[in-house]
Structures are given as structure tokens and as C-alpha cells.
Coordinates of all heavy atoms in Angstrom, one line a residue:
M1 N -0.3 -8.5 -55.5 CA 0.6 -8.5 -54.4 C -0.2 -8.9 -53.2 O -1.2 -8.3 -52.9 CB 1.3 -7.2 -54.3 CG 2.1 -7.1 -53.0 SD 2.8 -5.4 -52.8 CE 4.3 -5.6 -53.7
A2 N 0.3 -9.8 -52.4 CA -0.4 -10.3 -51.2 C -0.3 -9.2 -50.1 O 0.8 -8.6 -49.9 CB 0.2 -11.6 -50.7
E3 N -1.3 -9.0 -49.4 CA -1.3 -8.0 -48.3 C -0.8 -8.7 -47.1 O -1.2 -9.8 -46.8 CB -2.8 -7.5 -48.1 CG -2.8 -6.4 -47.1 CD -4.2 -5.8 -47.0 OE1 -4.8 -5.6 -48.1 OE2 -4.7 -5.6 -45.9
T4 N 0.1 -8.0 -46.4 CA 0.6 -8.5 -45.2 C -0.3 -8.2 -44.0 O -0.7 -7.1 -43.9 CB 2.1 -8.0 -44.9 OG1 2.9 -8.3 -46.0 CG2 2.7 -8.6 -43.7
N5 N -0.6 -9.2 -43.2 CA -1.4 -9.0 -42.0 C -0.6 -8.8 -40.8 O -0.3 -9.7 -40.0 CB -2.3 -10.2 -41.9 CG -3.3 -10.0 -40.7 OD1 -3.5 -8.9 -40.3 ND2 -3.9 -11.1 -40.3
W6 N -0.1 -7.5 -40.6 CA 0.8 -7.2 -39.4 C 0.0 -7.4 -38.1 O -1.1 -7.0 -38.1 CB 1.4 -5.8 -39.6 CG 2.3 -5.7 -40.7 CD1 2.0 -5.0 -41.9 CD2 3.6 -6.2 -40.9 NE1 3.1 -5.1 -42.7 CE2 4.1 -5.8 -42.2 CE3 4.4 -7.0 -40.1 CZ2 5.3 -6.2 -42.6 CZ3 5.7 -7.4 -40.6 CH2 6.1 -7.0 -41.8
Q7 N 0.7 -7.9 -37.1 CA 0.1 -8.1 -35.8 C 1.0 -7.4 -34.8 O 2.2 -7.5 -34.8 CB 0.0 -9.5 -35.4 CG -0.8 -10.4 -36.4 CD -2.3 -10.1 -36.2 OE1 -2.8 -10.0 -35.1 NE2 -3.1 -10.0 -37.3
F8 N 0.4 -6.6 -33.9 CA 1.1 -6.0 -32.8 C 1.4 -7.1 -31.7 O 0.5 -7.8 -31.3 CB 0.3 -4.9 -32.2 CG 0.9 -4.2 -31.0 CD1 2.0 -3.3 -31.2 CD2 0.5 -4.5 -29.7 CE1 2.6 -2.7 -30.1 CE2 1.1 -3.9 -28.6 CZ 2.2 -3.0 -28.8
V9 N 2.7 -7.2 -31.3 CA 3.0 -8.2 -30.4 C 3.5 -7.7 -29.0 O 3.7 -8.4 -28.1 CB 4.0 -9.3 -30.9 CG1 3.4 -10.0 -32.1 CG2 5.3 -8.6 -31.3
G10 N 3.7 -6.4 -29.0 CA 4.1 -5.8 -27.7 C 5.0 -4.5 -27.9 O 5.4 -4.2 -29.1
K11 N 5.3 -3.9 -26.8 CA 6.2 -2.7 -26.9 C 7.6 -3.1 -27.1 O 8.1 -4.1 -26.4 CB 6.0 -1.9 -25.6 CG 4.7 -1.3 -25.4 CD 4.7 -0.5 -24.1 CE 3.3 0.1 -23.9 NZ 3.2 0.8 -22.6
I12 N 8.3 -2.4 -27.9 CA 9.7 -2.8 -28.3 C 10.5 -2.9 -27.0 O 11.3 -3.8 -26.8 CB 10.3 -1.8 -29.3 CG1 9.7 -2.0 -30.6 CG2 11.8 -1.9 -29.3 CD1 10.1 -1.0 -31.7
E13 N 10.4 -1.9 -26.1 CA 11.3 -1.9 -24.9 C 11.0 -3.2 -24.1 O 11.9 -3.8 -23.5 CB 11.1 -0.7 -24.1 CG 11.6 0.6 -24.8 CD 13.0 0.4 -25.3 OE1 13.9 -0.1 -24.6 OE2 13.3 0.8 -26.5
D14 N 9.8 -3.6 -24.0 CA 9.4 -4.8 -23.3 C 10.0 -6.1 -24.0 O 10.6 -7.0 -23.3 CB 7.9 -5.0 -23.1 CG 7.3 -3.9 -22.3 OD1 8.1 -3.3 -21.5 OD2 6.1 -3.7 -22.4
L15 N 9.9 -6.1 -25.3 CA 10.3 -7.3 -26.0 C 11.8 -7.4 -26.1 O 12.3 -8.5 -26.2 CB 9.7 -7.2 -27.5 CG 8.2 -7.3 -27.6 CD1 7.7 -7.1 -29.0 CD2 7.7 -8.6 -27.0
K16 N 12.5 -6.3 -26.0 CA 14.0 -6.3 -26.0 C 14.6 -6.9 -24.7 O 15.8 -7.2 -24.7 CB 14.5 -4.9 -26.2 CG 14.5 -4.4 -27.6 CD 15.1 -3.0 -27.6 CE 15.3 -2.5 -29.0 NZ 15.8 -1.1 -29.0
S17 N 13.8 -7.0 -23.7 CA 14.3 -7.4 -22.4 C 14.8 -8.9 -22.4 O 15.6 -9.2 -21.5 CB 13.3 -7.2 -21.3 OG 12.2 -8.0 -21.5
R18 N 14.4 -9.7 -23.3 CA 14.8 -11.1 -23.4 C 15.3 -11.4 -24.8 O 14.7 -11.1 -25.8 CB 13.7 -12.0 -23.0 CG 13.4 -12.0 -21.5 CD 12.3 -13.0 -21.1 NE 11.0 -12.5 -21.6 CZ 9.9 -13.2 -21.5 NH1 9.9 -14.4 -21.1 NH2 8.8 -12.6 -21.9
P19 N 16.5 -12.1 -24.9 CA 17.0 -12.4 -26.2 C 16.1 -13.4 -27.0 O 16.1 -13.5 -28.2 CB 18.4 -13.0 -25.9 CG 18.3 -13.4 -24.5 CD 17.4 -12.5 -23.8
L20 N 15.3 -14.3 -26.2 CA 14.5 -15.3 -26.8 C 13.2 -15.5 -26.0 O 13.4 -15.6 -24.8 CB 15.2 -16.6 -27.0 CG 14.4 -17.8 -27.6 CD1 13.9 -17.5 -29.0 CD2 15.2 -19.0 -27.5
Q21 N 12.1 -15.5 -26.6 CA 10.9 -15.7 -25.9 C 9.8 -16.3 -26.8 O 9.9 -16.2 -28.0 CB 10.4 -14.4 -25.2 CG 10.1 -13.3 -26.2 CD 9.9 -12.0 -25.6 OE1 9.0 -11.8 -24.8 NE2 10.8 -11.0 -25.8
Q22 N 8.9 -16.9 -26.1 CA 7.7 -17.4 -26.9 C 6.6 -16.4 -26.8 O 6.3 -15.8 -25.8 CB 7.2 -18.7 -26.2 CG 6.0 -19.3 -26.9 CD 5.7 -20.7 -26.3 OE1 6.3 -21.7 -26.7 NE2 4.7 -20.7 -25.3
I23 N 6.0 -16.1 -28.0 CA 4.9 -15.2 -28.1 C 3.8 -16.0 -28.8 O 4.0 -17.0 -29.4 CB 5.2 -13.9 -28.8 CG1 5.7 -14.2 -30.3 CG2 6.3 -13.1 -28.1 CD1 5.8 -13.0 -31.2
E24 N 2.6 -15.4 -28.6 CA 1.4 -16.0 -29.3 C 0.7 -15.0 -30.1 O 0.4 -13.9 -29.7 CB 0.5 -16.6 -28.3 CG -0.6 -17.5 -28.9 CD -1.3 -18.4 -27.8 OE1 -0.6 -18.8 -26.9 OE2 -2.5 -18.6 -28.0
V25 N 0.6 -15.3 -31.4 CA -0.1 -14.4 -32.3 C -1.2 -15.1 -33.0 O -1.0 -16.1 -33.7 CB 0.9 -13.8 -33.4 CG1 0.2 -12.9 -34.4 CG2 2.0 -13.1 -32.7
S26 N -2.4 -14.6 -32.9 CA -3.6 -15.3 -33.4 C -3.7 -16.8 -33.1 O -3.9 -17.6 -34.0 CB -3.6 -15.1 -35.0 OG -3.7 -13.7 -35.3
G27 N -3.3 -17.1 -31.9 CA -3.4 -18.5 -31.4 C -2.2 -19.3 -31.9 O -2.2 -20.5 -31.6
K28 N -1.2 -18.7 -32.5 CA -0.1 -19.5 -33.0 C 1.1 -19.1 -32.2 O 1.5 -17.9 -32.0 CB 0.2 -19.1 -34.5 CG 1.2 -19.9 -35.2 CD 1.4 -19.4 -36.6 CE 0.2 -19.7 -37.4 NZ 0.4 -19.4 -38.9
K29 N 1.8 -20.1 -31.6 CA 3.0 -19.9 -30.8 C 4.2 -19.7 -31.8 O 4.4 -20.5 -32.7 CB 3.3 -21.1 -29.9 CG 2.3 -21.1 -28.7 CD 2.6 -22.2 -27.8 CE 1.7 -22.1 -26.5 NZ 0.3 -22.2 -26.7
L30 N 5.0 -18.6 -31.4 CA 6.1 -18.2 -32.2 C 7.3 -18.0 -31.3 O 7.2 -17.7 -30.2 CB 5.9 -17.0 -33.0 CG 4.6 -17.0 -33.9 CD1 4.4 -15.6 -34.4 CD2 4.8 -17.9 -35.1
A31 N 8.5 -18.1 -31.9 CA 9.8 -17.9 -31.2 C 10.3 -16.5 -31.7 O 10.7 -16.4 -32.8 CB 10.8 -19.0 -31.4
L32 N 10.3 -15.5 -30.8 CA 10.8 -14.2 -31.1 C 12.1 -14.0 -30.5 O 12.3 -14.2 -29.3 CB 9.8 -13.2 -30.5 CG 10.2 -11.7 -30.5 CD1 10.2 -11.2 -31.9 CD2 9.4 -10.9 -29.6
S33 N 13.1 -13.6 -31.3 CA 14.4 -13.3 -30.8 C 14.9 -11.9 -31.1 O 14.4 -11.3 -32.1 CB 15.4 -14.3 -31.4 OG 15.4 -14.2 -32.8
Y34 N 15.8 -11.4 -30.2 CA 16.3 -10.1 -30.4 C 17.8 -10.2 -30.1 O 18.2 -10.6 -29.0 CB 15.7 -9.1 -29.5 CG 16.2 -7.7 -29.6 CD1 15.9 -6.9 -30.7 CD2 17.1 -7.2 -28.6 CE1 16.5 -5.6 -30.9 CE2 17.6 -5.9 -28.8 CZ 17.3 -5.2 -29.9 OH 17.8 -3.9 -30.0
K35 N 18.6 -9.8 -31.1 CA 20.1 -9.9 -30.9 C 20.7 -9.0 -31.9 O 20.3 -8.9 -33.0 CB 20.5 -11.4 -31.2 CG 22.0 -11.6 -31.1 CD 22.3 -13.1 -31.3 CE 23.8 -13.4 -31.3 NZ 24.5 -13.0 -32.5
D36 N 21.8 -8.3 -31.4 CA 22.5 -7.3 -32.3 C 21.6 -6.4 -33.0 O 21.8 -6.1 -34.2 CB 23.4 -8.1 -33.3 CG 24.4 -9.0 -32.6 OD1 24.8 -8.7 -31.5 OD2 24.7 -10.1 -33.2
N37 N 20.6 -5.9 -32.3 CA 19.7 -4.9 -32.8 C 18.8 -5.4 -33.9 O 18.3 -4.6 -34.8 CB 20.4 -3.6 -33.2 CG 21.0 -2.9 -32.0 OD1 20.3 -2.7 -31.0 ND2 22.2 -2.4 -32.2
T38 N 18.7 -6.7 -34.1 CA 17.8 -7.3 -35.1 C 16.8 -8.3 -34.5 O 17.2 -8.9 -33.5 CB 18.6 -8.0 -36.2 OG1 19.3 -9.1 -35.7 CG2 19.6 -7.0 -36.9
W39 N 15.7 -8.3 -35.1 CA 14.6 -9.2 -34.6 C 14.6 -10.5 -35.5 O 14.9 -10.4 -36.7 CB 13.3 -8.5 -34.7 CG 13.2 -7.3 -33.8 CD1 13.5 -6.0 -34.2 CD2 12.9 -7.2 -32.5 NE1 13.4 -5.2 -33.1 CE2 13.0 -5.9 -32.0 CE3 12.5 -8.2 -31.5 CZ2 12.7 -5.5 -30.7 CZ3 12.2 -7.8 -30.2 CH2 12.3 -6.5 -29.8
G40 N 14.0 -11.5 -34.9 CA 13.8 -12.7 -35.7 C 12.5 -13.4 -35.2 O 12.3 -13.3 -34.0
V41 N 11.7 -13.9 -36.1 CA 10.5 -14.6 -35.6 C 10.4 -15.9 -36.5 O 10.4 -15.8 -37.7 CB 9.2 -13.8 -35.8 CG1 8.0 -14.7 -35.4 CG2 9.2 -12.5 -35.0
I42 N 10.4 -17.0 -35.8 CA 10.2 -18.3 -36.5 C 9.1 -19.1 -35.8 O 8.7 -18.7 -34.7 CB 11.5 -19.1 -36.6 CG1 12.0 -19.5 -35.2 CG2 12.5 -18.4 -37.4 CD1 13.2 -20.5 -35.3
S43 N 8.7 -20.2 -36.3 CA 7.7 -21.0 -35.7 C 8.1 -21.3 -34.3 O 9.3 -21.5 -34.0 CB 7.5 -22.3 -36.5 OG 6.8 -23.2 -35.7
G44 N 7.1 -21.4 -33.4 CA 7.4 -21.8 -32.0 C 7.5 -23.3 -31.8 O 7.8 -23.8 -30.7
F45 N 7.3 -24.1 -32.9 CA 7.3 -25.5 -32.8 C 8.4 -26.1 -33.6 O 8.5 -25.9 -34.8 CB 6.0 -26.1 -33.2 CG 4.8 -25.8 -32.3 CD1 4.0 -24.8 -32.6 CD2 4.7 -26.5 -31.1 CE1 2.9 -24.5 -31.7 CE2 3.7 -26.2 -30.2 CZ 2.8 -25.2 -30.5
C46 N 9.3 -26.9 -32.9 CA 10.4 -27.6 -33.6 C 9.8 -28.6 -34.5 O 8.8 -29.3 -34.2 CB 11.2 -28.2 -32.5 SG 12.6 -29.2 -33.1
N47 N 10.4 -28.8 -35.7 CA 9.8 -29.8 -36.6 C 10.3 -31.2 -36.4 O 10.0 -32.1 -37.1 CB 10.0 -29.4 -38.1 CG 11.4 -29.3 -38.5 OD1 12.3 -29.6 -37.7 ND2 11.7 -28.8 -39.7
H48 N 11.0 -31.4 -35.3 CA 11.4 -32.8 -34.9 C 10.2 -33.4 -34.3 O 9.5 -34.2 -35.0 CB 12.6 -32.7 -33.9 CG 13.0 -34.1 -33.4 ND1 13.6 -34.3 -32.2 CD2 13.0 -35.3 -34.0 CE1 13.9 -35.6 -32.1 NE2 13.5 -36.2 -33.2
V49 N 9.8 -33.1 -33.0 CA 8.6 -33.6 -32.4 C 7.9 -32.5 -31.6 O 7.2 -32.8 -30.7 CB 8.8 -34.9 -31.6 CG1 9.1 -36.1 -32.4 CG2 9.9 -34.6 -30.5
G50 N 8.0 -31.2 -32.1 CA 7.2 -30.2 -31.6 C 7.7 -29.4 -30.3 O 6.9 -28.8 -29.6
G51 N 9.0 -29.5 -30.1 CA 9.5 -28.8 -28.9 C 9.3 -27.3 -29.0 O 9.2 -26.7 -30.1
P52 N 9.2 -26.6 -27.9 CA 8.8 -25.2 -27.8 C 10.1 -24.3 -28.1 O 10.8 -24.0 -27.1 CB 8.3 -25.0 -26.4 CG 9.0 -26.0 -25.6 CD 9.3 -27.2 -26.5
L53 N 10.3 -23.9 -29.3 CA 11.5 -23.2 -29.7 C 11.7 -21.9 -28.9 O 12.8 -21.5 -28.6 CB 11.6 -22.9 -31.2 CG 11.7 -24.2 -32.0 CD1 11.7 -23.8 -33.5 CD2 12.9 -25.0 -31.7
G54 N 10.5 -21.2 -28.6 CA 10.6 -20.0 -27.9 C 11.1 -20.1 -26.4 O 11.4 -19.2 -25.7
K55 N 11.1 -21.4 -26.0 CA 11.6 -21.7 -24.6 C 13.0 -22.3 -24.6 O 13.4 -22.8 -23.6 CB 10.6 -22.6 -23.9 CG 9.3 -21.9 -23.7 CD 8.3 -22.7 -22.9 CE 7.0 -21.9 -22.7 NZ 6.0 -22.7 -21.9
G56 N 13.6 -22.3 -25.8 CA 15.0 -22.8 -25.9 C 16.0 -21.7 -25.5 O 15.7 -20.9 -24.6
C57 N 17.1 -21.7 -26.2 CA 18.1 -20.7 -25.9 C 18.8 -20.4 -27.2 O 18.7 -21.1 -28.2 CB 19.1 -21.2 -24.9 SG 20.1 -22.6 -25.4
L58 N 19.5 -19.2 -27.2 CA 20.2 -18.8 -28.4 C 21.7 -19.3 -28.3 O 22.3 -19.2 -27.2 CB 20.2 -17.3 -28.5 CG 19.0 -16.6 -29.1 CD1 19.2 -15.1 -29.1 CD2 18.7 -17.1 -30.5
E59 N 22.2 -19.7 -29.4 CA 23.6 -20.1 -29.5 C 24.0 -19.4 -30.8 O 23.7 -19.9 -31.9 CB 23.7 -21.6 -29.6 CG 25.2 -22.1 -29.6 CD 25.2 -23.6 -29.6 OE1 24.8 -24.2 -28.6 OE2 25.6 -24.2 -30.6
G60 N 24.7 -18.3 -30.7 CA 24.9 -17.5 -31.9 C 23.6 -17.0 -32.5 O 22.8 -16.5 -31.7
D61 N 23.4 -17.2 -33.7 CA 22.2 -16.9 -34.4 C 21.2 -18.0 -34.5 O 20.2 -18.0 -35.2 CB 22.4 -16.3 -35.8 CG 22.8 -14.8 -35.7 OD1 22.3 -14.1 -34.8 OD2 23.7 -14.4 -36.5
Y62 N 21.5 -19.1 -33.8 CA 20.6 -20.3 -33.8 C 19.8 -20.4 -32.5 O 20.4 -20.2 -31.4 CB 21.4 -21.5 -34.1 CG 21.9 -21.6 -35.5 CD1 23.1 -21.0 -35.9 CD2 21.1 -22.2 -36.5 CE1 23.5 -21.0 -37.3 CE2 21.5 -22.3 -37.8 CZ 22.7 -21.6 -38.2 OH 23.1 -21.6 -39.5
I63 N 18.6 -20.8 -32.7 CA 17.7 -21.1 -31.5 C 17.9 -22.6 -31.3 O 17.8 -23.4 -32.2 CB 16.3 -20.8 -31.8 CG1 16.1 -19.3 -31.9 CG2 15.4 -21.4 -30.7 CD1 14.7 -18.8 -32.3
V64 N 18.2 -23.0 -30.1 CA 18.4 -24.4 -29.7 C 17.1 -24.9 -29.1 O 16.7 -24.3 -28.1 CB 19.6 -24.5 -28.8 CG1 19.8 -26.0 -28.5 CG2 20.9 -23.9 -29.3
C65 N 16.6 -25.9 -29.7 CA 15.3 -26.5 -29.1 C 15.7 -27.1 -27.7 O 16.7 -27.8 -27.6 CB 14.8 -27.6 -30.1 SG 13.4 -28.4 -29.4
P66 N 14.8 -26.8 -26.8 CA 15.1 -27.3 -25.4 C 14.9 -28.8 -25.2 O 15.3 -29.4 -24.2 CB 14.1 -26.5 -24.5 CG 13.0 -26.3 -25.4 CD 13.6 -26.0 -26.8
W67 N 14.3 -29.5 -26.2 CA 14.0 -30.9 -26.0 C 15.1 -31.8 -26.4 O 15.6 -32.7 -25.7 CB 12.7 -31.3 -26.7 CG 11.5 -30.8 -26.0 CD1 11.4 -30.0 -24.9 CD2 10.1 -31.1 -26.3 NE1 10.1 -29.8 -24.5 CE2 9.3 -30.4 -25.4 CE3 9.5 -31.8 -27.4 CZ2 7.9 -30.4 -25.4 CZ3 8.1 -31.8 -27.4 CH2 7.3 -31.2 -26.4
H68 N 15.6 -31.7 -27.7 CA 16.7 -32.6 -28.2 C 17.8 -31.8 -28.9 O 18.6 -32.3 -29.6 CB 16.1 -33.6 -29.1 CG 14.9 -34.3 -28.6 ND1 13.6 -34.0 -29.0 CD2 14.8 -35.3 -27.6 CE1 12.8 -34.8 -28.3 NE2 13.4 -35.5 -27.5
Y69 N 17.7 -30.5 -28.7 CA 18.9 -29.6 -29.1 C 19.0 -29.4 -30.6 O 20.1 -29.0 -31.1 CB 20.2 -30.0 -28.4 CG 20.0 -30.3 -27.0 CD1 20.1 -31.6 -26.5 CD2 19.5 -29.3 -26.1 CE1 19.9 -31.9 -25.2 CE2 19.3 -29.6 -24.8 CZ 19.5 -30.9 -24.3 OH 19.2 -31.2 -23.0
W70 N 18.0 -29.6 -31.4 CA 18.1 -29.3 -32.8 C 18.2 -27.7 -32.9 O 17.7 -27.1 -32.0 CB 16.9 -29.7 -33.6 CG 16.9 -31.2 -33.9 CD1 17.5 -32.2 -33.3 CD2 16.1 -31.8 -34.9 NE1 17.2 -33.4 -33.8 CE2 16.3 -33.2 -34.8 CE3 15.2 -31.4 -35.9 CZ2 15.7 -34.2 -35.7 CZ3 14.6 -32.3 -36.7 CH2 14.9 -33.7 -36.6
K71 N 18.9 -27.2 -33.9 CA 19.1 -25.8 -34.0 C 18.5 -25.2 -35.3 O 18.6 -25.8 -36.4 CB 20.6 -25.5 -34.0 CG 21.2 -26.0 -32.7 CD 22.8 -25.8 -32.7 CE 23.4 -26.4 -31.5 NZ 24.9 -26.4 -31.6
F72 N 17.9 -24.0 -35.2 CA 17.3 -23.3 -36.3 C 17.7 -21.9 -36.3 O 17.7 -21.2 -35.2 CB 15.8 -23.4 -36.2 CG 15.2 -24.8 -36.1 CD1 15.1 -25.4 -34.9 CD2 14.9 -25.5 -37.3 CE1 14.7 -26.8 -34.8 CE2 14.5 -26.8 -37.2 CZ 14.3 -27.4 -36.0
H73 N 18.1 -21.4 -37.5 CA 18.5 -20.0 -37.6 C 17.3 -19.1 -37.1 O 16.2 -19.3 -37.5 CB 18.9 -19.6 -39.0 CG 19.6 -18.3 -39.0 ND1 18.9 -17.1 -39.1 CD2 20.9 -18.0 -39.0 CE1 19.8 -16.1 -39.1 NE2 21.0 -16.6 -39.1
R74 N 17.6 -18.2 -36.2 CA 16.6 -17.4 -35.6 C 15.8 -16.4 -36.5 O 14.7 -16.0 -36.2 CB 17.2 -16.6 -34.4 CG 18.1 -15.5 -34.8 CD 18.7 -14.7 -33.6 NE 19.4 -13.5 -34.0 CZ 18.7 -12.4 -34.2 NH1 17.5 -12.2 -34.0 NH2 19.4 -11.3 -34.6
Q75 N 16.4 -16.2 -37.7 CA 15.7 -15.2 -38.6 C 15.2 -15.9 -39.9 O 14.3 -15.5 -40.5 CB 16.7 -14.1 -39.0 CG 17.0 -13.2 -37.9 CD 17.9 -12.1 -38.2 OE1 19.0 -12.4 -38.7 NE2 17.5 -10.8 -38.0
T76 N 15.9 -17.0 -40.3 CA 15.4 -17.7 -41.5 C 14.7 -19.0 -41.2 O 13.9 -19.5 -42.1 CB 16.6 -18.1 -42.4 OG1 17.4 -19.1 -41.7 CG2 17.5 -16.9 -42.7
G77 N 14.8 -19.6 -40.0 CA 14.2 -20.8 -39.7 C 14.9 -22.0 -40.3 O 14.5 -23.2 -40.1
I78 N 16.0 -21.8 -41.0 CA 16.8 -22.9 -41.6 C 17.6 -23.7 -40.5 O 18.1 -23.1 -39.6 CB 17.7 -22.4 -42.7 CG1 16.9 -21.8 -43.8 CG2 18.7 -23.5 -43.2 CD1 17.7 -21.0 -44.9
G79 N 17.6 -25.0 -40.7 CA 18.4 -25.8 -39.7 C 19.9 -25.5 -39.8 O 20.4 -24.9 -40.7
Q80 N 20.6 -25.9 -38.7 CA 22.0 -25.6 -38.6 C 22.8 -26.2 -39.8 O 22.2 -27.1 -40.5 CB 22.5 -26.2 -37.3 CG 22.5 -27.7 -37.2 CD 23.0 -28.2 -35.9 OE1 24.1 -27.7 -35.4 NE2 22.3 -29.1 -35.3
P81 N 24.0 -25.7 -40.1 CA 24.8 -26.3 -41.2 C 24.8 -27.8 -41.1 O 25.1 -28.4 -40.1 CB 26.1 -25.6 -41.0 CG 25.8 -24.3 -40.3 CD 24.7 -24.6 -39.4
G82 N 24.5 -28.4 -42.3 CA 24.5 -29.8 -42.4 C 23.1 -30.4 -42.2 O 22.8 -31.5 -42.6
Y83 N 22.2 -29.6 -41.7 CA 20.8 -30.0 -41.5 C 19.8 -28.9 -42.0 O 18.8 -28.7 -41.5 CB 20.5 -30.2 -40.0 CG 21.4 -31.3 -39.4 CD1 22.7 -31.1 -38.9 CD2 21.0 -32.7 -39.5 CE1 23.5 -32.1 -38.4 CE2 21.8 -33.7 -39.0 CZ 23.0 -33.4 -38.4 OH 23.8 -34.4 -38.0
E84 N 20.2 -28.3 -43.1 CA 19.5 -27.1 -43.6 C 18.0 -27.5 -44.0 O 17.1 -26.7 -44.0 CB 20.2 -26.5 -44.8 CG 21.4 -25.8 -44.5 CD 22.7 -26.7 -44.5 OE1 22.5 -27.9 -44.5 OE2 23.8 -26.1 -44.4
E85 N 17.8 -28.8 -44.3 CA 16.4 -29.2 -44.7 C 15.5 -29.2 -43.6 O 14.3 -29.3 -43.7 CB 16.5 -30.6 -45.4 CG 16.8 -31.7 -44.5 CD 18.3 -31.9 -44.2 OE1 19.1 -31.1 -44.6 OE2 18.6 -32.8 -43.4
N86 N 16.0 -29.2 -42.4 CA 15.1 -29.2 -41.2 C 14.7 -27.7 -40.9 O 15.0 -27.1 -39.9 CB 15.9 -29.7 -39.9 CG 16.2 -31.2 -40.1 OD1 15.4 -31.9 -40.7 ND2 17.2 -31.6 -39.5
R87 N 13.9 -27.2 -41.8 CA 13.5 -25.8 -41.7 C 12.2 -25.6 -41.1 O 11.3 -26.4 -41.3 CB 13.5 -25.3 -43.2 CG 13.2 -23.8 -43.3 CD 13.2 -23.4 -44.8 NE 13.3 -22.0 -44.9 CZ 13.9 -21.3 -45.8 NH1 14.5 -22.0 -46.8 NH2 14.0 -20.0 -45.8
V88 N 12.0 -24.5 -40.3 CA 10.7 -24.2 -39.8 C 10.3 -22.9 -40.4 O 11.1 -22.1 -40.9 CB 10.7 -24.1 -38.2 CG1 11.0 -25.4 -37.6 CG2 11.6 -23.0 -37.7
Q89 N 9.0 -22.6 -40.3 CA 8.4 -21.3 -40.9 C 9.1 -20.1 -40.3 O 9.3 -20.0 -39.1 CB 6.9 -21.3 -40.6 CG 6.2 -20.1 -41.1 CD 6.1 -20.0 -42.6 OE1 5.7 -21.0 -43.2 NE2 6.4 -18.9 -43.2
Q90 N 9.3 -19.1 -41.2 CA 9.9 -17.8 -40.8 C 8.8 -16.8 -41.0 O 8.1 -16.9 -41.9 CB 11.2 -17.6 -41.6 CG 11.7 -16.2 -41.5 CD 11.2 -15.3 -42.6 OE1 10.7 -15.7 -43.7 NE2 11.3 -14.0 -42.4
Y91 N 8.8 -15.7 -40.2 CA 7.9 -14.6 -40.3 C 8.6 -13.3 -40.4 O 9.7 -13.1 -39.8 CB 6.9 -14.6 -39.1 CG 6.1 -15.9 -39.1 CD1 6.6 -17.0 -38.4 CD2 4.9 -16.0 -39.7 CE1 5.8 -18.2 -38.3 CE2 4.1 -17.2 -39.7 CZ 4.6 -18.3 -39.0 OH 3.9 -19.4 -38.9
E92 N 8.0 -12.4 -41.1 CA 8.6 -11.0 -41.2 C 8.3 -10.2 -40.0 O 7.3 -10.4 -39.3 CB 8.0 -10.3 -42.4 CG 8.3 -11.0 -43.8 CD 9.8 -11.0 -44.1 OE1 10.5 -10.0 -43.8 OE2 10.3 -12.1 -44.5
T93 N 9.1 -9.2 -39.7 CA 8.9 -8.3 -38.6 C 9.1 -6.9 -39.1 O 9.8 -6.7 -40.1 CB 9.9 -8.6 -37.4 OG1 11.3 -8.4 -37.9 CG2 9.8 -10.0 -36.9
K94 N 8.6 -6.0 -38.3 CA 8.9 -4.6 -38.6 C 8.6 -3.8 -37.3 O 8.0 -4.3 -36.4 CB 8.0 -4.0 -39.7 CG 6.5 -3.8 -39.4 CD 5.9 -3.1 -40.5 CE 4.4 -2.8 -40.2 NZ 3.8 -1.9 -41.2
Ligands
FES1 S1 11.6 -31.6 -30.4 FE1 13.1 -30.1 -31.0 S2 14.9 -31.3 -31.1 FE2 13.4 -32.8 -30.7

């Protein structure tokens, strides 16, 4: 079984203050979201041409890339319906 390398990213109360933000873990930019008492972490780079997903906005459970508006599910990283193959990396949280 693979060992998970958990990283501390901040105090919960601080992180809850914004529904979507860019964080950096071990030099990697990630998009952290908090909505309906659940967290989501996906890659901070859009797989179109690298837009900063953590600086986009939330539309329902989708993060909207600020550059050309592609959408990715905030917890699974899967592209919006009809574009599911446009998936970005998803990360576990606890
Ligand atoms: S870089 Fe994200 S939609 Fe183009």
C-alpha cells in the first residue's frame, strides 16, 4: 500500500475564508476549494494552456479557469459535462 505524504497547508479557519484559492505545496500550485462543508484540491494549472485555476471562480461545483473559462469539477478534476476528458489531477484532503 502506498504511503500518503500529507502536507499541512494552513489552519482550517483561515482556509475556509475563501471558496477558492491558490495554494502552493512542495512547490506545486494547487486550487483549493471549500463549499458546502467539503474541501476539494485539484491541480492549479488548467490543461488547456496553463491558466491558474486557483485564481478562477466557482460555478456550482466547477472551477472556472480565468483565462478561457474551461471548467473542472472542484473535487474530481474532471471537465464539465461533455468535456470529461479534459481532466486535471485531483488530490486527497483530510
Ligand atoms: S488556460 Fe484554462 S481555459 Fe484556457
